Amino acid sequence: AVFNPTYDTLIDVEFDEEIHYNIVGSTEADPSNGKISDESPVGSALLGKKVGDVVEAPTPAGTIELKVVEINK
């Protein structure tokens, strides 16, 4: 299957901060540059979501809540 990366703008609900993620395949992942794998906890939580959805995703620092505000394919 061909994976098409997406470019998502999210709001961290707890801190009210805007976050930008590029969801990519696992071989292209580079979290320090905003590229997260579709197989990561945050990436997989965002797959299939639409603008306005709020998702919870586990991270090493604890569960985060993110609101999807924009999706670009």
Side-chain angles (χ1 to χ4, degrees), residues 5-39:
T6 62
Y7 306 91
D8 297 345
T9 302
L10 312 161
I11 297 291
D12 181 319
V13 174
E14 181 180 357
F15 297 106
D16 195 31
E17 291 180 342
E18 191 171 278
I19 303 168
H20 301 272
Y21 283 133
N22 180 357
I23 300 176
V24 297
S26 59
T27 59
E28 301 171 52
D30 183 2
S32 62
N33 286 314
K35 294 181 180 183
I36 59 172
S37 168
D38 59 328
E39 298 174 8

Side-chain angles (χ1 to χ4, degrees), residues 46-59:
L46 291 169
L47 290 179
K49 301 302 183 220
K50 58 187 181 296
V51 171
D53 285 351
V54 176
V55 300
E56 289 187 354
T59 71

